[in-house]
Amino acid sequence: MFLAASVAVFIVYFANVALGAFAGSAFLGDVGEMLVLFAASILFVVAILKKEADRNNNGG
């Protein structure tokens, strides 16, 4: 679930960067872009930590 959310948020970030680069009409500003990338990073870390905890609980 967290990994899918991370991918979804990163797609929003990528779409914003691509629109800014090719069309010149990014829908997020600098701060919004930073917050979206930060949220994607946090969700990814949570997903990886949960997978590691599940693996350790199941005997590795």
Side-chain angles (χ1 to χ4, degrees):
M1 180 174 117
F2 286 103
L3 193 57
S6 173
V7 169
V9 173
F10 186 76
I11 288 172
V12 170
Y13 170 77
F14 183 78
N16 182 60
V17 171
L19 280 174
F22 297 119
S25 62
F27 52 87
L28 293 172
D30 291 339
V31 175
E33 194 172 273
M34 183 252 331
L35 289 174
V36 168
L37 187 58
F38 181 69
S41 301
I42 294 298
L43 288 168
F44 181 76
V45 168
V46 168
I48 295 303
L49 289 176
K50 284 183 66 73
K51 284 187 185 275
E52 184 177 343
D54 288 344
R55 186 183 65 179
N56 289 340
N57 288 337
N58 291 333

